[in-house]
mmCIF file of all heavy atoms in Angstrom:
data_model
loop_
_atom_site.group_PDB
_atom_site.id
_atom_site.type_symbol
_atom_site.label_atom_id
_atom_site.label_comp_id
_atom_site.label_asym_id
_atom_site.label_seq_id
_atom_site.Cartn_x
_atom_site.Cartn_y
_atom_site.Cartn_z
ATOM 1 N N HIS A 1 0.824 -1.210 0.000
ATOM 2 C CA HIS A 1 0.000 0.000 0.000
ATOM 3 C C HIS A 1 0.859 1.261 0.000
ATOM 4 O O HIS A 1 0.562 2.223 -0.713
ATOM 5 C CB HIS A 1 -0.909 -0.013 1.226
ATOM 6 C CG HIS A 1 -1.631 1.279 1.468
ATOM 7 N ND1 HIS A 1 -2.549 1.809 0.574
ATOM 8 C CD2 HIS A 1 -1.545 2.172 2.500
ATOM 9 C CE1 HIS A 1 -3.013 2.950 1.048
ATOM 10 N NE2 HIS A 1 -2.411 3.202 2.204
ATOM 11 N N ARG A 2 1.918 1.266 0.791
ATOM 12 C CA ARG A 2 2.763 2.458 0.918
ATOM 13 C C ARG A 2 3.638 2.684 -0.311
ATOM 14 O O ARG A 2 3.824 3.820 -0.752
ATOM 15 C CB ARG A 2 3.665 2.336 2.141
ATOM 16 C CG ARG A 2 2.948 2.352 3.472
ATOM 17 C CD ARG A 2 2.749 3.761 3.965
ATOM 18 N NE ARG A 2 2.160 3.749 5.302
ATOM 19 C CZ ARG A 2 1.154 4.521 5.669
ATOM 20 N NH1 ARG A 2 0.620 5.356 4.801
ATOM 21 N NH2 ARG A 2 0.676 4.458 6.891
ATOM 22 N N PHE A 3 4.209 1.618 -0.851
ATOM 23 C CA PHE A 3 5.278 1.766 -1.843
ATOM 24 C C PHE A 3 5.007 1.093 -3.182
ATOM 25 O O PHE A 3 5.793 1.252 -4.112
ATOM 26 C CB PHE A 3 6.595 1.208 -1.265
ATOM 27 C CG PHE A 3 6.899 1.688 0.116
ATOM 28 C CD1 PHE A 3 6.926 0.797 1.184
ATOM 29 C CD2 PHE A 3 7.137 3.035 0.374
ATOM 30 C CE1 PHE A 3 7.207 1.231 2.477
ATOM 31 C CE2 PHE A 3 7.418 3.484 1.650
ATOM 32 C CZ PHE A 3 7.450 2.583 2.706
ATOM 33 N N GLY A 4 3.909 0.353 -3.299
ATOM 34 C CA GLY A 4 3.657 -0.407 -4.518
ATOM 35 C C GLY A 4 3.188 0.435 -5.684
ATOM 36 O O GLY A 4 2.669 1.558 -5.525
ATOM 37 N N THR A 5 3.365 -0.113 -6.881
ATOM 38 C CA THR A 5 2.839 0.525 -8.092
ATOM 39 C C THR A 5 1.339 0.271 -8.173
ATOM 40 O O THR A 5 0.785 -0.564 -7.437
ATOM 41 C CB THR A 5 3.514 -0.068 -9.342
ATOM 42 O OG1 THR A 5 3.176 -1.468 -9.427
ATOM 43 C CG2 THR A 5 5.030 0.084 -9.269
ATOM 44 N N ALA A 6 0.684 0.967 -9.073
ATOM 45 C CA ALA A 6 -0.758 0.770 -9.254
ATOM 46 C C ALA A 6 -1.046 -0.678 -9.630
ATOM 47 O O ALA A 6 -2.025 -1.279 -9.160
ATOM 48 C CB ALA A 6 -1.280 1.720 -10.330
ATOM 49 N N GLU A 7 -0.190 -1.259 -10.468
ATOM 50 C CA GLU A 7 -0.375 -2.651 -10.881
ATOM 51 C C GLU A 7 -0.198 -3.610 -9.709
ATOM 52 O O GLU A 7 -0.968 -4.570 -9.557
ATOM 53 C CB GLU A 7 0.618 -2.997 -11.987
ATOM 54 C CG GLU A 7 0.467 -4.420 -12.512
ATOM 55 C CD GLU A 7 1.483 -4.743 -13.586
ATOM 56 O OE1 GLU A 7 2.216 -3.825 -14.018
ATOM 57 O OE2 GLU A 7 1.555 -5.926 -13.996
ATOM 58 N N GLN A 8 0.811 -3.373 -8.864
ATOM 59 C CA GLN A 8 1.047 -4.236 -7.703
ATOM 60 C C GLN A 8 -0.110 -4.146 -6.716
ATOM 61 O O GLN A 8 -0.548 -5.159 -6.159
ATOM 62 C CB GLN A 8 2.358 -3.840 -7.035
ATOM 63 C CG GLN A 8 3.595 -4.204 -7.831
ATOM 64 C CD GLN A 8 4.863 -3.570 -7.275
ATOM 65 O OE1 GLN A 8 4.806 -2.623 -6.488
ATOM 66 N NE2 GLN A 8 6.013 -4.088 -7.693
ATOM 67 N N LYS A 9 -0.612 -2.951 -6.513
ATOM 68 C CA LYS A 9 -1.741 -2.784 -5.603
ATOM 69 C C LYS A 9 -2.978 -3.495 -6.134
ATOM 70 O O LYS A 9 -3.688 -4.167 -5.387
ATOM 71 C CB LYS A 9 -2.041 -1.301 -5.403
ATOM 72 C CG LYS A 9 -0.957 -0.534 -4.657
ATOM 73 C CD LYS A 9 -1.296 0.937 -4.561
ATOM 74 C CE LYS A 9 -0.197 1.705 -3.847
ATOM 75 N NZ LYS A 9 -0.491 3.148 -3.766
ATOM 76 N N GLU A 10 -3.246 -3.349 -7.422
ATOM 77 C CA GLU A 10 -4.424 -3.980 -8.023
ATOM 78 C C GLU A 10 -4.326 -5.497 -7.967
ATOM 79 O O GLU A 10 -5.329 -6.192 -7.757
ATOM 80 C CB GLU A 10 -4.567 -3.518 -9.471
ATOM 81 C CG GLU A 10 -5.819 -4.049 -10.155
ATOM 82 C CD GLU A 10 -5.968 -3.541 -11.576
ATOM 83 O OE1 GLU A 10 -5.189 -2.649 -11.968
ATOM 84 O OE2 GLU A 10 -6.856 -4.038 -12.300
ATOM 85 N N ARG A 11 -3.110 -6.022 -8.103
ATOM 86 C CA ARG A 11 -2.929 -7.471 -8.122
ATOM 87 C C ARG A 11 -3.038 -8.089 -6.734
ATOM 88 O O ARG A 11 -3.668 -9.141 -6.559
ATOM 89 C CB ARG A 11 -1.565 -7.828 -8.717
ATOM 90 C CG ARG A 11 -1.283 -9.333 -8.716
ATOM 91 C CD ARG A 11 0.082 -9.665 -9.285
ATOM 92 N NE ARG A 11 0.346 -11.097 -9.235
ATOM 93 C CZ ARG A 11 1.488 -11.668 -9.612
ATOM 94 N NH1 ARG A 11 2.484 -10.913 -10.081
ATOM 95 N NH2 ARG A 11 1.636 -12.981 -9.519
ATOM 96 N N TRP A 12 -2.436 -7.457 -5.734
ATOM 97 C CA TRP A 12 -2.288 -8.099 -4.436
ATOM 98 C C TRP A 12 -3.237 -7.619 -3.345
ATOM 99 O O TRP A 12 -3.665 -8.408 -2.503
ATOM 100 C CB TRP A 12 -0.840 -7.925 -3.936
ATOM 101 C CG TRP A 12 0.199 -8.538 -4.799
ATOM 102 C CD1 TRP A 12 1.151 -7.899 -5.542
ATOM 103 C CD2 TRP A 12 0.416 -9.939 -5.036
ATOM 104 N NE1 TRP A 12 1.942 -8.794 -6.219
ATOM 105 C CE2 TRP A 12 1.513 -10.058 -5.919
ATOM 106 C CE3 TRP A 12 -0.213 -11.103 -4.589
ATOM 107 C CZ2 TRP A 12 1.991 -11.283 -6.361
ATOM 108 C CZ3 TRP A 12 0.268 -12.322 -5.023
ATOM 109 C CH2 TRP A 12 1.352 -12.416 -5.891
ATOM 110 N N LEU A 13 -3.544 -6.326 -3.319
ATOM 111 C CA LEU A 13 -4.259 -5.792 -2.163
ATOM 112 C C LEU A 13 -5.670 -6.347 -1.956
ATOM 113 O O LEU A 13 -6.056 -6.616 -0.808
ATOM 114 C CB LEU A 13 -4.303 -4.264 -2.219
ATOM 115 C CG LEU A 13 -2.988 -3.560 -1.888
ATOM 116 C CD1 LEU A 13 -3.170 -2.036 -1.913
ATOM 117 C CD2 LEU A 13 -2.447 -3.996 -0.520
ATOM 118 N N PRO A 14 -6.485 -6.522 -2.990
ATOM 119 C CA PRO A 14 -7.852 -7.009 -2.727
ATOM 120 C C PRO A 14 -7.896 -8.295 -1.902
ATOM 121 O O PRO A 14 -8.686 -8.402 -0.951
ATOM 122 C CB PRO A 14 -8.424 -7.202 -4.132
ATOM 123 C CG PRO A 14 -7.710 -6.183 -4.955
ATOM 124 C CD PRO A 14 -6.310 -6.182 -4.418
ATOM 125 N N LYS A 15 -7.068 -9.276 -2.238
ATOM 126 C CA LYS A 15 -7.083 -10.533 -1.484
ATOM 127 C C LYS A 15 -6.473 -10.376 -0.092
ATOM 128 O O LYS A 15 -6.921 -11.007 0.871
ATOM 129 C CB LYS A 15 -6.344 -11.622 -2.261
ATOM 130 C CG LYS A 15 -7.109 -12.133 -3.466
ATOM 131 C CD LYS A 15 -6.423 -13.335 -4.088
ATOM 132 C CE LYS A 15 -7.261 -13.903 -5.234
ATOM 133 N NZ LYS A 15 -6.629 -15.100 -5.850
ATOM 134 N N LEU A 16 -5.443 -9.535 0.017
ATOM 135 C CA LEU A 16 -4.821 -9.331 1.323
ATOM 136 C C LEU A 16 -5.751 -8.592 2.270
ATOM 137 O O LEU A 16 -5.809 -8.887 3.469
ATOM 138 C CB LEU A 16 -3.510 -8.560 1.173
ATOM 139 C CG LEU A 16 -2.388 -9.255 0.393
ATOM 140 C CD1 LEU A 16 -1.167 -8.337 0.286
ATOM 141 C CD2 LEU A 16 -2.008 -10.582 1.046
ATOM 142 N N LEU A 17 -6.494 -7.623 1.764
ATOM 143 C CA LEU A 17 -7.367 -6.815 2.615
ATOM 144 C C LEU A 17 -8.656 -7.528 2.982
ATOM 145 O O LEU A 17 -9.309 -7.167 3.967
ATOM 146 C CB LEU A 17 -7.693 -5.484 1.930
ATOM 147 C CG LEU A 17 -6.498 -4.631 1.482
ATOM 148 C CD1 LEU A 17 -6.952 -3.223 1.128
ATOM 149 C CD2 LEU A 17 -5.409 -4.594 2.532
ATOM 150 N N SER A 18 -9.000 -8.551 2.215
ATOM 151 C CA SER A 18 -10.196 -9.332 2.535
ATOM 152 C C SER A 18 -9.882 -10.490 3.475
ATOM 153 O O SER A 18 -10.792 -11.137 3.992
ATOM 154 C CB SER A 18 -10.825 -9.884 1.256
ATOM 155 O OG SER A 18 -9.982 -10.867 0.673
ATOM 156 N N GLY A 19 -8.591 -10.766 3.674
ATOM 157 C CA GLY A 19 -8.196 -11.890 4.506
ATOM 158 C C GLY A 19 -8.191 -13.213 3.753
ATOM 159 O O GLY A 19 -7.906 -14.257 4.340
ATOM 160 N N GLU A 20 -8.475 -13.185 2.454
ATOM 161 C CA GLU A 20 -8.410 -14.407 1.647
ATOM 162 C C GLU A 20 -6.973 -14.887 1.508
ATOM 163 O O GLU A 20 -6.726 -16.079 1.316
ATOM 164 C CB GLU A 20 -8.996 -14.149 0.255
ATOM 165 C CG GLU A 20 -10.474 -13.822 0.231
ATOM 166 C CD GLU A 20 -10.935 -13.499 -1.184
ATOM 167 O OE1 GLU A 20 -10.745 -14.368 -2.075
ATOM 168 O OE2 GLU A 20 -11.453 -12.393 -1.406
ATOM 169 N N ALA A 21 -6.026 -13.948 1.586
ATOM 170 C CA ALA A 21 -4.613 -14.281 1.452
ATOM 171 C C ALA A 21 -3.816 -13.527 2.505
ATOM 172 O O ALA A 21 -4.259 -12.492 3.019
ATOM 173 C CB ALA A 21 -4.105 -13.930 0.052
ATOM 174 N N LEU A 22 -2.639 -14.060 2.832
ATOM 175 C CA LEU A 22 -1.733 -13.428 3.772
ATOM 176 C C LEU A 22 -0.402 -13.150 3.082
ATOM 177 O O LEU A 22 -0.069 -13.771 2.071
ATOM 178 C CB LEU A 22 -1.494 -14.326 4.991
ATOM 179 C CG LEU A 22 -2.712 -14.689 5.841
ATOM 180 C CD1 LEU A 22 -2.308 -15.675 6.931
ATOM 181 C CD2 LEU A 22 -3.335 -13.444 6.460
ATOM 182 N N ALA A 23 0.360 -12.235 3.656
ATOM 183 C CA ALA A 23 1.690 -11.938 3.132
ATOM 184 C C ALA A 23 2.657 -11.790 4.295
ATOM 185 O O ALA A 23 2.281 -11.376 5.391
ATOM 186 C CB ALA A 23 1.669 -10.649 2.298
ATOM 187 N N GLY A 24 3.911 -12.144 4.051
ATOM 188 C CA GLY A 24 4.952 -12.000 5.057
ATOM 189 C C GLY A 24 5.944 -10.931 4.649
ATOM 190 O O GLY A 24 5.978 -10.495 3.494
ATOM 191 N N PHE A 25 6.781 -10.524 5.599
ATOM 192 C CA PHE A 25 7.795 -9.499 5.346
ATOM 193 C C PHE A 25 9.157 -10.070 5.738
ATOM 194 O O PHE A 25 9.438 -10.267 6.923
ATOM 195 C CB PHE A 25 7.483 -8.238 6.161
ATOM 196 C CG PHE A 25 8.385 -7.067 5.857
ATOM 197 C CD1 PHE A 25 8.300 -6.418 4.640
ATOM 198 C CD2 PHE A 25 9.300 -6.613 6.790
ATOM 199 C CE1 PHE A 25 9.116 -5.336 4.351
ATOM 200 C CE2 PHE A 25 10.116 -5.523 6.513
ATOM 201 C CZ PHE A 25 10.025 -4.886 5.297
ATOM 202 N N GLY A 26 9.988 -10.370 4.749
ATOM 203 C CA GLY A 26 11.268 -11.024 5.001
ATOM 204 C C GLY A 26 12.377 -10.026 5.240
ATOM 205 O O GLY A 26 13.068 -9.605 4.296
ATOM 206 N N LEU A 27 12.580 -9.680 6.499
ATOM 207 C CA LEU A 27 13.643 -8.748 6.871
ATOM 208 C C LEU A 27 14.743 -9.451 7.655
ATOM 209 O O LEU A 27 15.907 -9.463 7.255
ATOM 210 C CB LEU A 27 13.064 -7.593 7.697
ATOM 211 C CG LEU A 27 14.070 -6.651 8.366
ATOM 212 C CD1 LEU A 27 14.912 -5.947 7.311
ATOM 213 C CD2 LEU A 27 13.346 -5.625 9.244
ATOM 214 N N THR A 28 14.388 -10.056 8.783
ATOM 215 C CA THR A 28 15.376 -10.670 9.677
ATOM 216 C C THR A 28 16.071 -11.858 9.016
ATOM 217 O O THR A 28 15.446 -12.641 8.310
ATOM 218 C CB THR A 28 14.688 -11.135 10.974
ATOM 219 O OG1 THR A 28 14.021 -10.025 11.567
ATOM 220 C CG2 THR A 28 15.706 -11.685 11.957
ATOM 221 N N GLU A 29 17.366 -11.971 9.270
ATOM 222 C CA GLU A 29 18.149 -13.087 8.754
ATOM 223 C C GLU A 29 18.807 -13.837 9.907
ATOM 224 O O GLU A 29 18.974 -13.280 10.997
ATOM 225 C CB GLU A 29 19.197 -12.588 7.758
ATOM 226 C CG GLU A 29 18.576 -11.934 6.530
ATOM 227 C CD GLU A 29 19.606 -11.590 5.465
ATOM 228 O OE1 GLU A 29 20.818 -11.796 5.695
ATOM 229 O OE2 GLU A 29 19.192 -11.093 4.400
#
C-alpha cells in the first residue's frame, strides 16, 4: 500500500485486505 505501483496494488491488495490471502515481510536473517 505504501510503496507499490498501481499494478502491484491492483494485483495483491484485494485478497490481502479481505483476509483471503496473507503476506509475510522477510527482513530478519
Side-chain angles (χ1 to χ4, degrees):
H1 170 63
R2 293 273 185 225
F3 312 115
T5 63
E7 182 181 353
Q8 289 169 343
K9 293 177 181 179
E10 184 178 351
R11 178 181 178 183
W12 298 112
L13 286 183
K15 287 188 176 181
L16 296 178
L17 305 193
S18 68
E20 295 176 57
L22 299 175
F25 186 69
L27 170 62
T28 304
E29 297 187 357

